[in-house]
Amino acid sequence: MKIELIKYNSFAFIFLFFQYSLCTFSSLFFDRKYLIVATSLIVGGISIWLNRKQISTVFFKILVLVFLVFGTQYILFPGQTRAINFLVFTFLTLGCSSLFIGSTKISFIWLYYYGLKLSFINLFLTEMYFVFSYRRMEYLTMLFGYAILPSILFVLYKALYEQDRKYLILFLILELQLLIWGARGCSLVVFLFILLKYLIENRKFRNFFVVLCCIIYLGINYITNFLLFLISILPVESYRLRNYKSMLSEGIWENSSGRNVIYENTFMMFKQNPWGLGVGCVGFDENQTGLEYPHNLFLQMAIEYGIVGLCLVIVLIVFVFRKTIKVNDSFCRGLMLMFFTIVFGRLLVSSSYWERPEFWCIVAFVFCSLKKSNIGFFQCNGL
């Protein structure tokens, strides 16, 4: 019975990283947000019921802390009540169950097993979505890119860990599709995962990386011209390829899909209000600041909670990263690194942490790992 519980907990954990992806196909028929909320409540509810006799105290501590934040926001910023209400609802439907799932006992082997299974299910659904939405793909690059991202990373991890050439070829095909039709932020996450994995696990790669950076710096003009030539001879055309051309010829900052303006305006607002404007001050309550949500975790924490929030999120990321690289087993460390890059890589350029179930899951997971009795953090067996 204990093994079966760990299997379900592992499935629920990995499901959170595929949830948005698996629900993307449903957006062809109805708003996928309803399905995301429904699956969160169902998977989370089953998890709470099965683990009701061994609930971690860490879960309750984080839960109390989050609602203390909400309580202080209601007091300090009464003009943002509607925005705060919406975030409370978002946390109750998505974040709360994710916190609980992240605090349960799991097995890395079962995470890997279910991750591969969900990868291929997700690949099928995402490619079906791609086929049916191809004519509108210019407007759906982000949706498609982030839908296929977890599958690409799991295929890559299997190729690297098991040295399987078939999966390596599959990864290259999927990555090429992502580069041509997906979001740039997704390719950034894949690059970040590969870079961190080799920098952490291969000392020789560190020297190679330094040399490579020097070569790129010295030959940036030649590399830029070569990439422009490569794009020009490709037999396909897409919004993303046109975007790459503009980036290479005009600059990354000028072709950031409007993020340069959002970043500059948010940073100026932060300089004027260094102690923050409260939860929901941007994105949800645009009448107050006139700003969209920042598309960046650091800027969002800075504009909402000020200098204190910015420092806290930096400490959180460093803490999670240190816990990740200190895992002794290379198999477990690789999976943790994948989860780390999926969560924080995406939040660097898109989305809000309030809406990311995997963010709350990984936060609870890492803090629970401080108490080995609470969670199978170092458990790399179970099959």
Side-chain angles (χ1 to χ4, degrees), residues 106-112 331-332 335-336 365 377 379-380:
I106 62 171
S107 163
F108 277 86
I109 294 295
W110 284 112
L111 286 180
Y112 182 61
F331 172 73
C332 298
L335 284 178
M336 275 298 296
F365 181 66
F377 183 80
Q379 183 181 0
C380 292

Side-chain angles (χ1 to χ4, degrees), residues 244-261:
Y244 289 142
K245 289 180 183 178
S246 299
M247 284 173 53
L248 292 169
S249 57
E250 301 173 12
I252 297 176
W253 189 246
E254 292 77 9
N255 290 273
S256 57
S257 300
R259 282 176 173 77
N260 56 328
V261 177

Side-chain angles (χ1 to χ4, degrees), residues 102-335:
S103 68
T104 58
K105 293 183 179 180
I106 62 171
S107 163
F108 277 86
I109 294 295
W110 284 112
L111 286 180
Y112 182 61
Y113 174 81
Y114 287 122
L116 287 175
K117 297 292 185 183
L118 290 176
S119 291
F120 285 99
I121 295 173
N122 181 54
L123 273 180
F124 173 76
L125 292 175
T126 306
E127 294 298 345
M128 290 291 290
Y129 174 80
F130 178 83
V131 171
F132 286 112
S133 306
Y134 182 76
R135 293 183 179 179
R136 298 187 299 141
M137 194 49 63
E138 180 171 338
Y139 309 101
L140 301 172
T141 55
M142 182 169 292
L143 199 60
F144 168 73
Y146 283 110
I148 201 172
L149 177 62
S151 293
I152 290 178
L153 287 175
F154 261 95
V155 168
L156 172 61
Y157 189 73
K158 182 174 176 63
L160 295 177
Y161 183 74
E162 300 184 18
Q163 298 183 344
D164 192 318
R165 292 183 180 180
K166 297 189 298 294
Y167 278 85
L168 180 59
I169 294 172
L170 177 59
F171 161 73
L172 293 174
I173 294 172
L174 294 173
E175 178 59 25
L176 182 62
Q177 185 184 22
L178 180 64
L179 286 169
I180 296 176
W181 287 285
R184 290 168 294 178
C186 304
S187 297
L188 175 64
V189 172
V190 176
F191 171 77
L192 187 63
F193 170 68
I194 296 173
L195 178 63
L196 291 177
K197 179 172 173 55
Y198 279 99
L199 284 176
I200 293 169
E201 298 183 357
N202 193 327
R203 292 186 177 181
K204 293 181 180 179
F205 180 79
R206 299 172 192 174
N207 298 329
F208 169 77
F209 179 70
V210 173
V211 174
L212 182 63
C213 288
C214 294
I215 293 173
I216 292 175
Y217 176 76
L218 295 173
I220 187 65
N221 291 331
Y222 297 102
I223 295 171
T224 300
N225 292 332
F226 173 74
L227 290 175
L228 284 170
F229 168 75
L230 193 63
I231 292 173
S232 66
I233 63 174
L234 286 175
V236 294
E237 181 68 23
S238 73
Y239 167 78
R240 186 54 60 210
L241 290 177
R242 294 194 297 272
N243 198 235
Y244 289 142
K245 289 180 183 178
S246 299
M247 284 173 53
L248 292 169
S249 57
E250 301 173 12
I252 297 176
W253 189 246
E254 292 77 9
N255 290 273
S256 57
S257 300
R259 282 176 173 77
N260 56 328
V261 177
I262 295 173
Y263 291 166
E264 289 171 359
N265 291 339
T266 305
F267 184 70
M268 289 299 297
M269 189 65 70
F270 167 62
K271 288 176 64 176
Q272 296 171 13
N273 303 273
W275 300 109
L277 293 170
V279 168
C281 63
V282 290
F284 302 100
D285 186 22
E286 295 181 11
N287 291 329
Q288 180 187 350
T289 61
L291 297 177
E292 300 180 39
Y293 86 93
H295 292 268
N296 179 275
L297 177 62
F298 297 106
L299 286 176
Q300 183 174 357
M301 294 296 287
I303 196 68
E304 288 185 347
Y305 306 103
I307 297 173
V308 175
L310 182 60
C311 293
L312 285 176
V313 75
I314 292 173
V315 170
L316 173 65
I317 292 176
V318 171
F319 174 73
V320 174
F321 185 69
R322 282 177 59 86
K323 288 295 296 183
T324 298
I325 63 177
K326 283 188 175 182
V327 176
N328 294 325
D329 186 273
S330 61
F331 172 73
C332 298
R333 184 172 59 245
L335 284 178

Side-chain angles (χ1 to χ4, degrees), residues 56-73:
S56 170
T57 56
V58 175
F59 165 71
F60 288 112
K61 290 177 181 178
I62 299 177
L63 199 63
V64 169
L65 180 62
V66 171
F67 280 101
L68 281 176
V69 170
F70 282 134
T72 56
Q73 298 299 301

